[in-house]
Amino acid sequence: MKKLLSIIILLSLCSALRTQAQCTAENTAFKSGETLLYDLYFNWKFVWVKVGTASMNVSSATYQGEPAYRTYLITRGNAKADRFFVMRDTLITYTGLDLAPRYYFKGALEGKTYRKDEVWYSYPSGQCAMKMRFQKNNDYVINNQYSSRYCAYDMLSMMLRARSFDASKMKVGHRINFLMAEGKKCEWNSIVYRGKKKFKMENQPITYRCLVFSFVEKNKKGKEEDVITFYITDDKNHIPVRLDMNLNFGTAKAFLTGASGLRNPQDSRIK
């Protein structure tokens, strides 16, 4: 379910090519105490089957003695899914109150494989520097370092930054490039704006006005493909309410089932 964990990247609406002096940003979208809950579904022989849940929370914390936000994302497969594929994934990130990334952790048990990614950020002499560490099962630890005059983000810190971004002036097809850090590497990725759409929630009498984006990757033939299409609320919260995912082993979806501790009114809800 590695692609499933990328649901947090897919919310990224950050502007591209920012220097270290601009790595900070004003937060207008969330506050400490926000919690989002999701149901996860997989297409099994043309039938959509619930395979698990996900939860995301933002809370006040300290990191290296300074005030920070601690954000976690947890995905868990249910008993039915465990018979075919075990999924136990945890992502944690620390950012300053200015949203500059400080630390990232991902522990992913998928099938019989456990992967651990870590990234430590620092900002010396106008650069964004990262120390990265990766380990698969009990294999040797792989350590890497990377620095750039552009800001880098992990899955969760990117989401936090992006949620305060103003997409009102974007045109359909607008492309956003961003530098993303993982335990093994740091590389450029792209998101494409697909426009606005009204979306009625599954099994709920709620409709949202949404902004639609696609996370794209190049396949082995060099052709771009949509990996995930995501719907975020067209209001100041920018909450992801639906995600459509094309995974290596099939198609999956995630639907918002609960939201509490929101900073702003849910103006995108249509009663």
Side-chain angles (χ1 to χ4, degrees), residues 30 110 112 189 229:
F30 65 88
E110 299 168 348
K112 297 181 179 180
N189 285 286
T229 298

Side-chain angles (χ1 to χ4, degrees), residues 221-266:
K221 297 181 179 180
K223 183 180 179 180
E224 281 192 344
E225 296 179 340
D226 288 0
V227 178
I228 309 178
T229 298
F230 56 101
Y231 299 69
I232 66 169
T233 56
D234 189 11
D235 56 28
K236 290 184 178 180
N237 293 307
H238 286 163
I239 300 171
V241 295
R242 168 183 167 179
L243 301 107
D244 299 344
M245 294 156 280
N246 297 314
L247 310 176
N248 291 332
F249 49 86
T251 305
K253 293 181 183 289
F255 298 102
L256 182 75
T257 59
S260 60
L262 301 181
R263 176 170 179 167
N264 302 298
Q266 291 183 281

Side-chain angles (χ1 to χ4, degrees), residues 119-166:
V119 182
W120 292 264
Y121 300 87
S122 60
Y123 303 95
S125 304
Q127 297 284 305
C128 180
M130 289 148 285
K131 292 182 179 180
M132 299 176 287
R133 183 162 64 189
F134 172 82
Q135 186 176 24
K136 175 182 176 182
N137 294 330
N138 293 319
D139 295 347
Y140 290 107
V141 174
I142 300 174
N143 292 293
N144 288 299
Q145 295 189 26
Y146 189 93
S147 63
S148 173
R149 63 190 181 94
Y150 302 117
C151 294
Y153 305 87
D154 52 77
M155 297 178 182
L156 296 185
S157 63
M158 172 68 77
M159 178 276 298
L160 295 177
R161 170 81 180 248
R163 287 179 60 184
S164 294
F165 188 74
D166 181 10

Side-chain angles (χ1 to χ4, degrees), residues 83-96:
R83 295 200 297 266
F84 303 97
F85 187 85
V86 175
M87 180 183 66
R88 301 289 187 271
D89 298 333
T90 300
L91 291 82
I92 301 172
T93 194
Y94 283 84
T95 62

Side-chain angles (χ1 to χ4, degrees), residues 34-258:
E34 179 187 87
T35 299
L36 305 176
L37 304 175
Y38 296 87
D39 279 344
L40 309 178
Y41 292 84
F42 183 74
N43 192 295
W44 178 256
K45 296 183 179 180
F46 305 104
V47 177
W48 287 101
V49 180
K50 183 179 177 181
V51 295
T53 59
S55 63
M56 186 167 66
N57 174 265
V58 182
S59 60
S60 297
T62 58
Y63 183 75
Q64 295 184 341
E66 297 185 357
Y69 289 116
R70 177 183 182 271
T71 304
Y72 72 73
L73 171 69
I74 296 176
T75 62
R76 294 290 184 267
N78 57 25
K80 182 183 296 185
D82 283 351
R83 295 200 297 266
F84 303 97
F85 187 85
V86 175
M87 180 183 66
R88 301 289 187 271
D89 298 333
T90 300
L91 291 82
I92 301 172
T93 194
Y94 283 84
T95 62
L97 298 184
D98 57 8
L99 303 187
R102 300 298 180 184
Y103 171 74
Y104 170 69
F105 167 87
K106 180 177 75 174
L109 175 61
E110 299 168 348
K112 297 181 179 180
T113 301
Y114 180 77
R115 295 179 176 87
K116 180 179 177 181
D117 293 82
E118 289 183 279
V119 182
W120 292 264
Y121 300 87
S122 60
Y123 303 95
S125 304
Q127 297 284 305
C128 180
M130 289 148 285
K131 292 182 179 180
M132 299 176 287
R133 183 162 64 189
F134 172 82
Q135 186 176 24
K136 175 182 176 182
N137 294 330
N138 293 319
D139 295 347
Y140 290 107
V141 174
I142 300 174
N143 292 293
N144 288 299
Q145 295 189 26
Y146 189 93
S147 63
S148 173
R149 63 190 181 94
Y150 302 117
C151 294
Y153 305 87
D154 52 77
M155 297 178 182
L156 296 185
S157 63
M158 172 68 77
M159 178 276 298
L160 295 177
R161 170 81 180 248
R163 287 179 60 184
S164 294
F165 188 74
D166 181 10
S168 62
K169 297 181 180 180
M170 289 185 181
K171 296 181 179 180
V172 175
H174 180 81
R175 181 177 294 265
I176 303 161
N177 300 312
F178 59 94
L179 190 61
M180 189 182 73
E182 295 181 323
K184 294 178 66 176
K185 58 188 177 181
C186 190
E187 62 183 9
W188 292 97
N189 285 286
S190 297
I191 289 175
V192 179
Y193 176 53
R194 302 302 187 191
K196 297 184 178 182
K197 185 176 181 179
K198 293 180 181 179
F199 167 63
K200 183 182 182 303
M201 293 294 292
E202 289 288 318
N203 303 319
Q204 299 181 51
I206 302 173
T207 298
Y208 289 97
R209 289 182 291 103
C210 294
L211 304 171
V212 184
F213 292 82
S214 292
F215 173 60
V216 299
E217 285 185 346
K218 289 185 177 181
N219 58 26
K220 295 180 179 180
K221 297 181 179 180
K223 183 180 179 180
E224 281 192 344
E225 296 179 340
D226 288 0
V227 178
I228 309 178
T229 298
F230 56 101
Y231 299 69
I232 66 169
T233 56
D234 189 11
D235 56 28
K236 290 184 178 180
N237 293 307
H238 286 163
I239 300 171
V241 295
R242 168 183 167 179
L243 301 107
D244 299 344
M245 294 156 280
N246 297 314
L247 310 176
N248 291 332
F249 49 86
T251 305
K253 293 181 183 289
F255 298 102
L256 182 75
T257 59

